[in-house]
Amino acid sequence: MQKSFELDISNLDENKILELNNFCLNFNKKKEYTLIPIFTKVFKVFSNKKKKNIHNICFESLKDIINLINPWITNDILNIILTEMNSSTKDFIKIYGLKLISYLADKNPEQIKHNLINLITPISGYLYNPKKIVSKLAEETLTNIIKCNGNKDL
């Protein structure tokens, strides 16, 4: 029987993220719904500037979670990402959120295609962000998600 994974965001460090990665490797597909709250907690790390040293490993862990879950849960993942990006003023959450959306577009283009209407407006809003990296990532992400449409004219 697989034990559940508890994640305390206040004490999150590299060892805890590595433990999460190990949990993902031994994951039971029947319990994939348990990864959504974990995804949310790990994603919120990007809003904490003091945890900047573990941002990259958190990003990799989130990609691992995306690889584990059913592609049709993509809509839930997008809602988490967009909600956190819109409610935070921190640039790191926007940067990693855009990177994750772009990753989802590469991995699950069919599901992104069904969410284009909900994605274009929020991502377009980041095109004129004062931080050049955010605006550049917004442009790349927008290009990437529009490719999922399958319409060569767009």
Side-chain angles (χ1 to χ4, degrees):
M1 181 167 173
Q2 183 176 359
K3 70 174 191 165
S4 65
F5 186 82
E6 291 296 322
L7 190 64
D8 179 10
I9 196 165
S10 62
N11 295 326
L12 196 60
D13 60 6
E14 191 170 347
N15 290 331
K16 195 69 170 172
I17 295 297
L18 292 173
E19 188 180 330
L20 171 63
N21 287 346
N22 189 34
F23 174 78
C24 289
L25 289 173
N26 301 311
F27 183 68
N28 180 350
K29 275 292 214 186
K30 292 178 184 173
K31 296 191 176 195
E32 67 186 338
Y33 63 89
T34 61
L35 290 176
I36 299 299
I38 294 171
F39 185 95
T40 305
K41 286 181 180 181
V42 174
F43 189 73
K44 286 182 180 188
V45 169
F46 300 129
S47 64
N48 187 341
K49 204 173 192 177
K50 293 178 183 175
K51 302 276 186 185
K52 185 179 177 183
N53 60 325
I54 61 169
H55 282 183
N56 285 333
I57 194 164
C58 286
F59 177 68
E60 293 303 319
S61 293
L62 292 173
K63 286 180 16 181
D64 289 343
I65 290 172
I66 289 169
N67 290 334
L68 285 173
I69 60 174
N70 185 312
W72 290 105
I73 299 179
T74 298
N75 187 48
D76 296 328
I77 297 293
L78 287 171
N79 286 335
I80 292 166
I81 294 170
L82 292 174
T83 299
E84 293 300 323
M85 286 173 65
N86 290 331
S87 66
S88 177
T89 59
K90 305 291 184 192
D91 288 324
F92 287 118
I93 207 158
K94 292 170 180 45
I95 290 166
Y96 286 102
L98 290 167
K99 286 180 177 184
L100 284 169
I101 292 170
S102 192
Y103 181 75
L104 280 165
D106 290 337
K107 181 157 180 359
N108 302 326
E110 185 66 26
Q111 288 73 23
I112 295 295
K113 177 181 174 180
H114 293 290
N115 285 287
L116 277 177
I117 292 172
N118 300 327
L119 289 172
I120 290 175
T121 302
I123 293 172
S124 296
Y126 296 116
L127 288 173
Y128 301 104
N129 190 293
K131 286 272 190 177
K132 288 194 183 250
I133 188 164
V134 174
S135 58
K136 183 171 175 28
L137 276 170
E139 183 180 342
E140 291 171 8
T141 303
L142 202 55
T143 303
N144 210 9
I145 64 168
I146 289 173
K147 286 180 190 173
C148 297
N149 185 1
N151 185 341
K152 291 181 170 100
D153 294 334
L154 294 178

